[in-house]
DNA sequence: GTTAGACTTAGAACAATTCTAAGTCTATAA
DNA sequence: TTATAGACTTAGAATTGTTCTAAGTCTAAC
């Protein structure tokens, strides 16, 4: 088990939202609770499914609005690995990703384990937003002699 | 001007398709011609627009089919930077990308200029597919003192 | 010339996301 | 306590990018 990961309580989530300038409505707290409950990457559909596991309480529009707000406020980060699917990543530590092209699973790579040097100078009048490294992997095929 | 870039002629494109095991139909040659005519990154819509600049000769379905085929055959590479938009990249040299989050412009970074070391070991029974590095940049804001 | 298979097509279907317009909540002021 | 304004949420429609489907066209081999 990864000792660095700590799920956080409800009050802590409320505080986290406030700190990021987000009014903690019940829907937002619930969604944040899901995102921070475990080290995982969810897409909007999955968040929507989880948030409504019992009875439908949060609309799809709110899920999208809220995730968008969290991104804008820097609470979570989007990861693009496939067309037409965005993952939301609540891991605040600098890190990158393995993406299993077969299963669609996304897992973290600690940025400390990746040395990225010598980026060329940025184009004029631009500033760095983020550096995304996605290592695409696939299940190894049992070796079959090509025909 | 970048001396390494050479647009290629029609015969060379036909040959390129053949070498990749792609039957060179007129539509495919036309689409490949667009992709390789200049160092640029196109999304499917842009390819569709260009291929039909004069009169509509290639259907949208064929554009998508063809781009998908080119990807499957390793002729071009997909780049994901935004939800709901795939770029197709005909640059065969190892390289990464700057992505201007404001303008949506994608530009190449020669991989030789980026040292990526010490990737952690891949998960069991997986093999490397590719490593995508996307450096997100934005236009620098003129400095305004925060209120 | 036939024919089989590959290719292309228009348009329908689809999935993820965003928009819209109306309704609800909540914090503050009276 | 009630009124009110603005923020928030909602269902469902609309939009966007992409894939599917079924029919038609082309081409290469016989």
């Amino acid at each position: 088990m990864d000792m660095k990961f700590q799920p956080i309580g409800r009050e802590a989530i409320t505080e986290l939202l406030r700190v990021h300038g987000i009014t903690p409505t019940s829907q937002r707290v619930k969604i944040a609770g899901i995102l921070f409950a475990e080290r995982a990457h969810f897409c909007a559909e999955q968040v929507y499914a989880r948030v409504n596991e019992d009875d439908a309480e949060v609309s799809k529009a709110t899920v999208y609005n809220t995730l968008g707000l969290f991104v804008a406020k820097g609470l979570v980060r989007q990861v693009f690995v496939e067309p037409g699917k965005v993952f939301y990543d609540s891991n605040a530590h600098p890190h990158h990703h393995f993406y299993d092209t077969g299963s669609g699973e996304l897992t973290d790579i600690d940025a400390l384990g990746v040395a990225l040097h010598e980026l060329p100078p940025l184009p004029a009048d631009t500033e760095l937003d983020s550096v995304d490294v996605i290592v695409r992997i696939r299940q190894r095929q049992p070796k079959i002699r090509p025909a």
Side-chain angles (χ1 to χ4, degrees), chain A:
Chain A
M1 187 179 281
D2 184 339
M3 299 318 292
K4 280 179 290 188
F5 180 67
Q6 298 270 9
I8 60 181
R10 183 133 309 234
E11 334 69 43
I13 284 175
T14 301
E15 184 54 25
L16 185 66
L17 295 185
R18 271 195 227 285
V19 164
H20 282 82
I22 300 167
T23 308
T25 67
S26 69
Q27 291 90 339
R28 290 170 180 176
V29 170
K30 201 165 183 189
I31 290 171
I34 286 162
L35 293 174
F36 288 95
E38 52 185 291
R39 175 100 94 216
H41 304 87
F42 298 105
C43 61
E45 280 301 322
Q46 292 172 314
V47 172
Y48 178 68
R50 291 228 175 184
V51 87
N52 293 314
E53 251 167 10
D54 329 316
D55 34 10
E57 292 164 50
V58 181
S59 73
K60 199 162 280 194
T62 295
V63 170
Y64 278 99
N65 287 346
T66 300
L67 291 173
L69 179 66
F70 286 2
V71 170
K73 296 293 188 177
L75 193 59
V76 302
R77 166 180 160 187
Q78 290 180 307
V79 185
F80 311 112
V81 283
E82 290 279 1
K85 181 152 287 183
V86 180
F87 284 98
Y88 293 88
D89 182 348
S90 61
N91 183 351
H93 300 281
H95 68 288
H96 304 302
H97 295 100
F98 280 126
Y99 179 65
D100 188 317
T101 55
S103 69
E105 202 190 353
L106 196 64
T107 49
D108 287 352
I109 303 173
D110 197 310
L112 296 177
V114 179
L116 189 65
H117 300 299
E118 300 164 32
L119 269 188
L122 302 190
D125 296 318
T126 63
E127 57 188 5
L128 187 66
D129 181 85
S130 63
V131 179
D132 294 357
V133 178
I134 294 174
V135 181
R136 258 161 241 277
I137 56 180
R138 58 177 116 81
Q139 292 304 307
R140 186 156 38 215
Q141 297 302 318
K143 269 187 198 125
I144 293 166
R145 189 170 43 79

